[in-house]
Amino acid sequence: MRHQAVTLLWRAGIAAALVCAIGVLPWLSHTDPALTVLKARSADRDPTPEVLADIRAQLGLEKGPFRLLGDWLGGLWHGDAGRSWISGSEVTPAVLQALGVSLLLMAVALAVAAGTAALICARTLRLGAGQRLDGRRSAGSASAVLAALPEFLTASVLATVVGVQLGWLPALGWYGFQWTILPALALGLPAGAVLGRLLDDLLPGAFAEHWALAATARGLPGRTVARQALRRCLPGLLPNTGLFVVGITGGAVTVEQIYDIPGLGRTTLQAALAQDLPVLQAGTLALVLLAAVAAALAHLLTRLLIGPALRDGALPSPHRPALPARRFRPLAYGGLLLAVIALGLPRDPLALDTAERLAAPSGAHPFGTDALGRDVLARVAHGALDTLLLALAITAVTLLAGLALGLLPRLSGPVVDTVTALPPVLVALLVTAIVGSGGTTPALAVAVVAWTPLAAHTSALLRQERAALHLTATRALGAGRWYLLRHELLPAVVPPVTRHALLRLPGVALALASLAFLGLGSQPPSPEWGLLLAENQPYAERAPWAVLAPAAVLALLGALAVTAAGGIRRRKRTAAPEATDVPEKRPEPRELVTAG
């Protein structure tokens, strides 16, 4: 009870600090909220001193940020989140309506993600149920390509092709269930590909455990063995599934913008840009509460699935069997990526030729040209230097941070849940307010949130590894805490989390691209990949090559990251602790009882 109370207070403190930081956002960024509100209300009206003074009086800005924040917090006890500074309407009904829209979209997107993950894992489940996984590797590169597709690009293509050209589904607005299908596909397909990859990485280890071998030998139906293997693997994925729930709800800003969906992510973004603090604070608080509920549900489901085994230290070690790494695929993908960069670097990415606007691919322009006649191959190659190096640096930093903080779940758990609730766009605005705008702002914004899934994965694996039978036996032989950490826990946790980090490498590049797409990242004429997609998207029907080229390179990066991650495996466990790590007189090993 004491631990739960401390965790609850820690979580409440983090949420309160976040809401307070948002409440003083205009003052942190040294902007005049009255001027920002005037521009949002009427962009054509002159900001005379009299008009600005009238707005300050209406909003009570003379009280100062902390007095305004206190008044807003006081109204929350009565369910009153104040009134919008822009429209003057009550905030609570508007935020609840936006939350309902986002929850419906999230539910449909999760169904799409679950179906996608099931398709990715179907072959592993079928082969594992019959103990025919010898030499079987993780799912192919197609899932990596799907995970690397930008959500805003998928949304645009679906809206243009399925919604406009074919007319099968509505592509704009929000008037019923039919309007959820296309945006749910754009959100659910990449999320399902990531979850499917993670699950497919865990399943072979579950099928190799003794209970699965015994169940198959006794003739139990394959579907029963497969169902139990899923149950065995799900606790390691539940924390990341909870992160996807919150991320889809609050982070679907670009998709909601494209489909004109009045969801919570879009509402929060518009409030942040207009500095409509009551709406922004209420929307952020709703996302934080949703994150807390998702984390609690994930923890509860984990206890229901493997709670007794965690308590009694009776879990098998959940590790995938070591397989020989395939060297050809990562070399092929890496060579192809380097070839594209090498061919494009000698070209000028800023040279304009209006006579060659939107020219199709040719010998002179292998990837075609954009709307200004610039060579797309040159822009993709030069953009790779910034995008790839920045994404690699962010991935390395977030991997180290995720591992370090994941080893301290009591400290990092509430922080993970709170940070995950923030849309990357809002984080970018907060970072801009604190450190100012510049080339490093998008990188800092992405790094602030990118470590959270890795920390959640580390904590989940650590919890299971601590309850493994071999760790109980090693501890009974007298192994110390540092020996267990160096020789048992870290070798078990680092390889899968590293593979997870490599799997998310394209996602880091996508996050940078999304910020550029929304105008918060690199600015023209930079050839950054996200900016290339944003600039060329309006011409996707006339010149699809201008959009497909950077998207294909992103997909190639995803395939390279996943195939390279396949070679990262756990080293063989040492047979016994070193003499220096255990007492001279070892206690007798206590009897271990494996769970049936």
Side-chain angles (χ1 to χ4, degrees), residues 491-585:
V493 170
V494 171
V497 176
T498 303
R499 294 196 296 270
H500 185 181
L502 285 175
L503 179 61
R504 288 188 176 271
L505 173 62
V508 172
L510 288 182
L512 296 171
S514 298
L515 292 178
F517 180 81
L518 293 171
L520 297 174
S522 301
Q523 299 299 318
S526 169
E528 197 272 333
W529 287 353
L531 191 58
L532 295 185
L533 292 168
E535 290 175 341
N536 297 319
Q537 186 195 4
Y539 310 98
E541 292 186 54
R542 294 175 53 193
W545 50 85
V547 175
L548 292 178
V553 179
L554 272 173
L556 184 61
L557 174 62
L560 172 61
V562 171
T563 52
I568 301 175
R569 297 296 167 200
R570 185 189 184 186
R571 64 174 177 82
K572 292 184 178 180
R573 188 185 302 123
T574 55
E578 298 176 4
T580 57
D581 291 346
V582 298
E584 293 184 3
K585 184 178 179 180

Side-chain angles (χ1 to χ4, degrees), residues 460-478:
L461 293 179
L462 184 68
R463 189 183 306 115
Q464 295 188 56
E465 190 66 26
R466 282 174 172 169
L469 288 170
H470 73 87
L471 201 74
T472 305
T474 307
R475 190 183 295 112
L477 290 172

Side-chain angles (χ1 to χ4, degrees), residues 138-146 197 326-342 388 505-506 529 552-566:
S138 296
S141 302
S143 59
V145 172
L146 186 60
R197 294 285 316 191
R326 284 183 176 175
R327 302 182 183 276
F328 173 73
R329 284 190 177 181
L331 290 177
Y333 293 140
L336 185 57
L337 184 59
L338 288 176
V340 171
I341 296 174
L388 287 180
L505 173 62
W529 287 353
V553 179
L554 272 173
L556 184 61
L557 174 62
L560 172 61
V562 171
T563 52

Side-chain angles (χ1 to χ4, degrees), residues 180-193:
T180 67
I181 297 178
L182 291 183
L185 285 173
L187 292 170
L189 288 175

